Amino acid sequence: MKCLVTAIGSLSAEAVIGRLAQQPGVKIIGCNMYPASWTPASRLVNRFYNVPSAKSDNYINSLLEICQCENITHIIALTDPEIDIISDHDEWFISRGIVLCMPSQSAVRMARDKLLIYEKFVNHPRISPILTADFQEVANTAFPLPWIAKPRRGRSSEGHIQIADVDALQFWRKRLANLDYLVQPYYEGSVMVVDVVRQPDDGTSVAVTRQELLRTTNGAGLTVRMQPNHACDVLACEIADSLNIRGCINVEFLVVDNMPLLMDVNPRFSAGVSFTIKAGYDMVKNHLNCFSRGKLDPCIVPRPDVYARGFVEYSLEN
């Protein structure tokens, strides 16, 4: 197996590449929009390529050239923009015999649209999505201020705006008039992130939940506490079933007054997938199993340990 991993400058890259390297017979090609000397995970791959941004018109052609040059058999994309564009062009890769290790195009489109996710689960008997409405259509009486406004297909908390009162609402309504924004009530609560992997061939799934104690402003966990047998485990597995997910994704809940409210479904590895691996479940190995007709490893019950993310400096000039 020769696997191309995209966006290896992302927070999940070292954990994903490190676990891939432990799988027998796997060669890893990495790519990123920044040069190798700026990308710490470049030291872990067999070969590195510098590619344009996923928003560039040349991005897909660059990936196809790498696939042809390296005889790539599998692709793992690590960030939302890559998932979006590769999924939109999935036939270009599938027709060349390349396995896209990601959910189906329909599942990606659903997961990446916060309004569609809300509408999918709003009447579900067990899953409660956080109340969501189109910014330009909602009346200020729909639910009480304060609100959070966010891009409908946003990522990593980019573009989030807190709207505290009517004056702020009037200010932002004009400025967001031509943008595809949603609003949700602003709640204080505990953020629970669930790494969940599903093998649709036999309908099995495994979920591991952690509470994010410290997060960056773009929603990446820095310090977490593992949550054994949490209610979000079952909810995340049910969401994965409802979307017919193949492989590993992550689901975010906000727990308010002991009620888990579904916030986001991200059709990729979470930035903190390394925490789940540390806790004893190899999401990367099992993600690969889902695309090779393999079975999932049995579920584990993690200890309620606290893990913190650290940072290490490298010189990669040579």
Side-chain angles (χ1 to χ4, degrees):
M1 177 188 296
K2 211 165 190 185
C3 187
L4 173 62
V5 182
T6 75
I8 69 168
S10 65
L11 286 175
S12 63
E14 297 219 8
V16 172
I17 294 169
R19 295 315 302 167
L20 283 176
Q22 299 298 314
Q23 308 310 308
V26 175
K27 298 257 185 190
I28 307 164
I29 308 300
C31 66
N32 197 35
M33 64 182 289
Y34 298 114
S37 61
W38 297 11
T39 307
S42 66
R43 74 193 194 284
L44 303 176
V45 299
N46 297 104
R47 186 166 290 115
F48 174 87
Y49 286 85
N50 197 186
V51 296
S53 162
K55 298 177 182 179
S56 165
D57 292 339
N58 296 324
Y59 178 74
I60 289 294
N61 285 334
S62 296
L63 293 192
L64 290 171
E65 289 175 6
I66 296 170
C67 290
Q68 181 176 10
C69 180
E70 296 288 347
N71 295 314
I72 296 297
T73 61
H74 294 69
I75 294 178
I76 294 177
L78 296 186
T79 64
D80 294 320
E82 284 79 12
I83 290 279
D84 290 343
I85 190 68
I86 293 171
S87 176
D88 283 345
H89 294 83
D90 59 359
E91 286 300 327
W92 294 26
F93 298 92
I94 294 169
S95 65
R96 292 164 170 80
I98 298 166
V99 177
L100 297 179
C101 299
M102 63 181 68
S104 67
Q105 184 182 94
S106 60
V108 168
R109 288 178 177 174
M110 172 70 73
R112 293 280 295 120
D113 188 321
K114 293 175 173 59
L115 187 57
L116 288 183
I117 284 292
Y118 171 73
E119 293 170 348
K120 172 80 171 174
F121 293 107
V122 65
N123 295 314
H124 196 280
R126 290 170 297 280
I127 298 165
S128 299
I130 194 165
L131 185 59
T132 302
D134 182 273
F135 183 73
Q136 297 305 325
E137 295 179 3
V138 68
N140 59 9
T141 56
F143 40 84
L145 293 163
W147 295 351
I148 289 290
K150 57 180 67 172
R152 179 170 172 172
R153 297 172 182 83
R155 59 181 291 261
S156 302
S157 300
E158 292 177 356
H160 285 201
I161 299 164
Q162 185 171 344
I163 299 176
D165 51 36
V166 173
D167 289 340
L169 174 59
Q170 293 174 346
F171 176 87
W172 286 109
R173 195 181 290 281
K174 294 178 182 178
R175 284 154 181 80
L176 301 177
N178 297 317
L179 301 177
D180 201 4
Y181 260 68
L182 305 171
V183 290
Q184 297 173 338
Y186 176 80
Y187 292 129
E188 295 284 353
S190 298
V191 176
M192 300 289 175
V193 177
V194 189
D195 290 323
V196 55
V197 61
R198 178 175 182 268
Q199 173 54 286
D201 296 338
D202 60 15
T204 58
S205 57
V206 172
V208 180
T209 298
R210 62 183 179 269
Q211 178 185 5
E212 304 223 318
L213 304 176
L214 291 176
R215 305 183 97 199
T216 65
T217 54
N218 63 347
L222 296 177
T223 303
V224 307
R225 178 183 287 112
M226 307 308 296
Q227 296 288 327
N229 295 320
H230 197 275
C232 289
D233 292 353
V234 175
L235 297 177
C237 288
E238 194 157 357
I239 289 166
D241 287 342
S242 296
L243 299 179
N244 195 26
I245 293 295
R246 182 183 293 275
C248 181
I249 64 170
N250 74 92
V251 183
E252 297 187 11
F253 296 91
L254 184 68
V255 178
V256 180
D257 296 331
N258 295 319
M259 170 67 74
L261 300 176
L262 173 61
M263 289 199 302
D264 284 304
V265 179
N266 300 304
R268 53 167 171 76
F269 290 114
S270 65
V273 69
S274 57
F275 296 127
T276 295
I277 295 169
K278 289 279 188 187
Y281 196 82
D282 191 337
M283 282 289 168
V284 179
K285 170 193 169 186
N286 285 284
H287 180 70
L288 277 186
N289 285 347
C290 293
F291 296 91
S292 61
R293 305 294 177 183
K295 290 187 176 296
L296 297 183
D297 290 340
C299 183
I300 58 112
V301 178
R303 292 164 50 91
D305 292 339
V306 173
Y307 295 100
R309 184 190 298 275
F311 295 91
V312 179
E313 292 73 35
Y314 297 96
S315 174
L316 302 171
E317 291 296 335
N318 297 316

